[in-house]
Amino acid sequence: MNTTVNQEIVVLGGGYTGVLATVRLARRTRRAKVRITLVNPSDRFVERLRMHQIAAGQQLANRRITELLDGTGARFHRAAATGIDPAARQVTLSDGATLHYDTLVYALGSATDTERVPGVADHAWTLNDPVRAHHFSERLTELAMAGGTVTVVGGGLTGVEAATEIAESHPDLPVTLVAAAEPGSMMGPGARAHLDRAFERLGIVRRIGVQVDKVLPQAIRLSTGELIASDLTLWTAGVRVPPLAADAGIATDATGSVITDATLRSVSHPDVYAIGDAASVVQPFGRLHGTCQSGMPTAAYVADAIARRLRGREVPPFRFGYVHQPVSLGRRDAVIQFTNADDTPKRWYLTGRVAVRYKDIVSGSPWPVFGMSTRMTVPVQFSRGGRRTRDRV
Ligand SMILES: Cc1cc2nc3c(=O)[nH]c(=O)nc-3n(C[C@H](O)[C@H](O)[C@H](O)COP(=O)(O)OP(=O)(O)OC[C@H]3O[C@@H](n4cnc5c(N)ncnc54)[C@H](O)[C@@H]3O)c2cc1C
């Protein structure tokens, strides 16, 4: 047993990456003198990947982070981080507490940006919060009975998944998808054609290649001045990351994400690691974009890297390659575009029931993986270059 280490490790953010990093680190440092504290505003684990399902009226299991951490040795502090003092190595919290850290894991994720376009914060709904998403689903049901219109703004995967889920669960409700760029433009022609057929089948009206410049109480306004009537507007266009790192003087890129080195430490503050959506991670093919597919490997890698360094061992650089773009199209259809490591499409893709099954496996609840990670080192996700995250410490 190693009795020389005495380290305070604070993990900020209890989303997909923060929770995985915490349980994996607790497992990997179980014989070391380490105290791990996970900080999150809520004890409820939010399955962001499936928020569009809540918005369409489905129920998801209520998962408690404290139940998961029970018996792992890691502590849970329910609060929001309000500031970081890197010189003092302290985090201030919304409940007035301060936490000292020797190592900080920055896993604050991202949220839909409601500031960039006027009216979004006041008149549009987002998938940022499960309680609000549930209220949205109630409004949808009322609207379906009253005869209204729904608009989903944003042609990224979140917008596509939300629009198809809503259209499938409310077949009589007119759904319009408004986007600046063609949905699925990063997919190959076969997968894109399947996406188009799904939109047709579900009766989703598409307004593509347009910019929304204002959201009004019952309409959206395009940059051309045209108004599109919308009783209920769901905004999925653009994300932002919390400003804490930038406010603390930790080096960030233009989006506010923490710039990391080859082992995912802040380039300005090596005692700060960054993972998930709030980290700027660059691979030979470019910067990773915010997905669980890349986020979960960053979390597993950082847990392993911290454990290795505590034992005085070398840490190999983080390596990652994309495998797929899995997109649900309601509960009965999906499209999976297989990709090269740099996320460009391969020729192969799956559709229909096989794709639904595949999507369920890769984007289902991470809870079983978290649970297993409290007891063993779980290979997190198949991704080329991710094998290093499975090295034993
Ligand atoms: C509808 C939807 C569908 C998606 N589908 C997919 C998909 O199919 N595949 C895929 O790979 N990705 C998908 N994504 C993206 C995926 O959800 C994110 O990449 C992933 O959640 C990032 O994990 P994270 O841990 O970085 O952030 P999050 O999971 O967002 O967690 C961040 C955590 O930090 C907490 N936090 C925030 N501020 C503070 C603070 N000040 N103090 C303390 N805690 C704080 C939050 O409450 C949250 O718990 C989807 C996203 C959405 C919205």
Side-chain angles (χ1 to χ4, degrees):
M1 182 186 291
N2 186 348
T3 52
T4 56
V5 179
N6 198 344
Q7 285 272 318
E8 293 279 356
I9 302 172
V10 174
V11 180
L12 293 186
Y16 283 80
T17 63
V19 170
L20 178 62
T22 301
V23 289
R24 189 167 172 118
L25 192 54
R27 170 79 193 160
R28 293 226 152 196
T29 58
R30 63 195 181 283
R31 294 194 192 90
K33 278 195 153 186
V34 164
R35 184 157 60 183
I36 304 166
T37 307
L38 173 61
V39 177
N40 198 62
S42 164
D43 179 26
R44 179 181 176 181
F45 177 71
V46 174
E47 289 194 46
R48 266 184 80 202
L49 247 68
R50 304 207 289 159
M51 207 73 103
H52 55 290
Q53 292 178 233
I54 301 180
Q58 295 158 38
Q59 299 272 349
L60 300 185
N62 205 349
R63 308 288 192 186
R64 297 274 157 210
I65 297 173
T66 40
E67 282 170 21
L68 180 76
L69 297 190
D70 199 22
T72 63
R75 302 187 310 174
F76 180 72
H77 195 121
R78 182 178 172 164
T82 50
I84 302 169
D85 181 343
R89 290 184 172 168
Q90 273 187 354
V91 179
T92 51
L93 304 178
S94 53
D95 60 3
T98 54
L99 291 178
H100 168 77
Y101 65 84
D102 297 298
T103 301
L104 185 70
V105 179
Y106 191 86
L108 294 183
S110 65
T112 305
D113 187 352
T114 56
E115 303 299 320
R116 196 174 45 87
V117 173
V120 172
D122 294 329
H123 308 302
W125 296 73
T126 68
L127 297 175
N128 283 341
D129 167 16
V131 176
R132 295 276 299 154
H134 177 67
H135 287 159
F136 177 85
S137 77
E138 291 174 337
R139 289 281 296 117
L140 266 186
T141 306
E142 288 164 16
L143 207 59
M145 288 192 292
T149 55
V150 185
T151 306
V152 177
V153 182
L157 299 186
T158 305
V160 169
E161 291 194 333
T164 51
E165 201 81 46
I166 292 167
E168 184 187 83
S169 56
H170 297 282
D172 298 330
L173 202 54
V175 178
T176 302
L177 179 65
V178 175
E182 191 67 41
S185 53
M186 67 298 176
M187 295 178 158
R192 228 172 24 234
H194 186 78
L195 205 59
D196 284 341
R197 283 195 294 276
F199 287 138
E200 293 292 329
R201 175 171 49 79
L202 293 165
I204 296 171
V205 174
R206 281 155 287 166
R207 295 294 309 271
I208 309 301
V210 296
Q211 297 284 346
V212 177
D213 76 358
K214 192 164 187 172
V215 177
L216 303 162
Q218 285 189 305
I220 57 171
R221 191 181 73 193
L222 304 184
S223 55
T224 56
E226 182 188 350
L227 290 177
I228 298 178
S230 177
D231 296 306
L232 210 52
T233 301
L234 182 65
W235 191 266
T236 71
V239 293
R240 65 182 154 73
V241 300
L244 264 75
D247 289 350
I250 295 168
T252 55
D253 66 8
T255 71
S257 304
V258 174
I259 302 173
T260 58
D261 67 11
T263 62
L264 305 191
R265 295 184 299 189
S266 153
V267 291
S268 61
H269 295 82
D271 46 4
V272 177
Y273 288 79
I275 58 179
D277 284 9
S280 172
V281 177
V282 175
Q283 292 291 285
F285 53 82
R287 185 192 188 282
L288 301 185
H289 42 257
T291 63
C292 265
Q293 186 183 171
S294 55
M296 296 291 260
T298 65
Y301 170 89
V302 158
D304 297 357
I306 294 171
R308 289 179 84 99
R309 285 202 168 104
L310 286 175
R311 298 177 66 157
R313 292 174 65 172
E314 292 274 301
V315 176
F318 176 73
R319 293 185 299 151
F320 173 79
Y322 290 98
V323 174
H324 53 210
Q325 296 160 359
V327 188
S328 66
L329 303 169
R331 293 299 84 203
R332 293 189 284 274
D333 194 8
V335 58
I336 314 294
Q337 172 68 64
F338 293 102
T339 66
N340 299 301
D342 63 358
D343 211 24
T344 53
K346 286 185 167 175
R347 282 174 52 205
W348 306 299
Y349 61 95
L350 298 176
T351 59
R353 288 197 178 283
V354 185
V356 171
R357 185 82 193 102
Y358 185 104
K359 170 75 181 168
D360 277 351
I361 292 168
V362 298
S363 305
S365 172
W367 215 249
V369 172
F370 292 160
M372 277 192 289
S373 299
T374 63
R375 300 186 295 279
M376 64 181 87
T377 300
V378 179
V380 161
Q381 187 174 327
F382 175 71
S383 62
R384 277 144 303 163
R387 274 192 218 103
R388 294 273 176 113
T389 61
R390 287 176 233 161
D391 286 354
R392 296 195 70 77
V393 173

